Amino acid sequence: MMKVISDIRLYKSSEKNNHSDISNKSLNLSVRRVVMKLREYGFSLGEYNHLYLNFTTLKAEGTIELIDRADPYHPWYRYCDIGISKAEYKKLENTDLAFEKIKSALLNLYNAKESIESAFAEAMNGSDMLMLFKTKESSTGVASVYLRLLDNGNYLPLLCVTDKSGNEVLRTDMPETLDLNTLGEIQLSSKKVTIKPRKNAFSKELQPISFEMRP
């Protein structure tokens, strides 16, 4: 079963270090933005949706090796070793260097050149990047919710509504949020758009958010 990508996580390993996290916040935010755009494009890793990239000096420089063995208890992820030099290992906190190596690894592993290159280019826009998260079409028009990932790690959703002729009748920021529990079902009429929270244990205390359409 083909699954849309959900996450990419970054690790590093060497003779003295075994699979520790790469903690560069800017780099991790950039990678999250790449994943957001790839999700928008429907990009799939295959039968798994989490990819763990391990930058390592224990493999020959230039190696890109997907370890395609599923953990029977956690079949949703795979590891990929990316061989780098000791000099590059010391510079892994350099966002540009790691970013390019991640891009090269994905291009090497997956046959989706246009989507991958587009996602990385869009992620360079930082917190201004928009991801189309969900839409709702009704007899009166279309409501679209876009996501922006801010530099503090929170999301700032943007709600846009167009009428049947494609004219924009509403464009407004929604409240900043750490997660996406506020963004469930969209209800759209000629006068109002309402975003209901998701139906789960974490959102039971949340209330719908409504916006009146301008005349």
Side-chain angles (χ1 to χ4, degrees):
M1 179 179 176
M2 302 294 282
K3 296 183 177 181
V4 176
I5 189 170
S6 180
D7 193 14
I8 293 176
R9 299 186 186 183
L10 307 179
Y11 299 90
K12 59 183 179 181
S13 62
S14 66
E15 294 87 348
K16 299 179 180 179
N17 189 4
N18 185 30
H19 282 89
S20 63
D21 295 341
I22 295 179
S23 58
N24 183 319
K25 183 177 180 180
S26 175
L27 173 60
N28 284 303
L29 285 170
S30 293
V31 172
R32 282 177 62 187
R33 292 181 180 118
V34 169
V35 172
M36 288 167 63
K37 291 304 290 188
L38 289 175
R39 282 187 63 81
E40 179 182 329
Y41 302 152
F43 174 81
S44 175
L45 298 171
E47 296 180 350
Y48 53 98
N49 55 14
H50 288 60
L51 182 63
Y52 296 169
L53 299 178
N54 176 45
F55 294 89
T56 179
T57 59
L58 303 178
K59 300 281 186 177
E61 184 178 352
T63 297
I64 299 173
E65 182 181 350
L66 181 66
I67 306 169
D68 197 9
R69 296 192 302 272
D71 178 337
Y73 300 103
H74 308 93
W76 37 265
Y77 76 86
R78 298 291 189 277
Y79 268 104
C80 176
D81 285 332
I82 301 175
I84 58 174
S85 68
K86 292 182 179 179
E88 288 174 328
Y89 188 88
K90 294 178 181 178
K91 299 177 182 178
L92 270 180
E93 298 301 315
N94 181 304
T95 299
D96 293 338
L97 171 66
F99 205 56
E100 283 304 311
K101 288 194 172 293
I102 295 165
K103 178 181 175 182
S104 295
L106 293 182
L107 288 170
N108 181 277
L109 293 170
Y110 306 102
N111 184 26
K113 184 174 186 289
E114 184 176 347
S115 293
I116 292 169
E117 290 189 338
S118 177
F120 275 81
E122 289 286 341
M124 295 299 291
N125 292 318
S127 60
D128 291 329
M129 186 198 83
L130 292 175
M131 170 207 179
L132 178 58
F133 182 61
K134 60 174 54 184
T135 62
K136 171 69 174 184
E137 185 171 359
S138 75
S139 59
T140 62
V142 179
S144 301
V145 174
Y146 296 86
L147 296 180
R148 289 166 293 193
L149 180 61
L150 303 178
D151 291 336
N152 63 8
N154 289 347
Y155 295 102
L156 181 60
L158 173 69
L159 173 63
C160 297
V161 181
T162 56
D163 62 22
K164 296 300 288 185
S165 300
N167 302 308
E168 189 174 272
V169 294
L170 177 67
R171 184 181 185 89
T172 184
D173 289 334
M174 295 180 64
E176 186 175 322
T177 177
L178 178 62
D179 55 46
L180 303 177
N181 288 319
T182 56
L183 304 177
E185 179 188 355
I186 301 174
Q187 294 183 336
L188 178 64
S189 70
S190 59
K191 296 182 179 180
K192 184 170 67 172
V193 58
T194 299
I195 315 295
K196 290 188 171 183
R198 290 180 171 178
K199 296 179 180 179
N200 59 40
F202 303 103
S203 59
K204 59 184 179 181
E205 301 297 327
L206 300 175
Q207 298 299 316
I209 304 173
S210 295
F211 300 89
E212 300 292 332
M213 227 71 71
R214 64 174 181 250

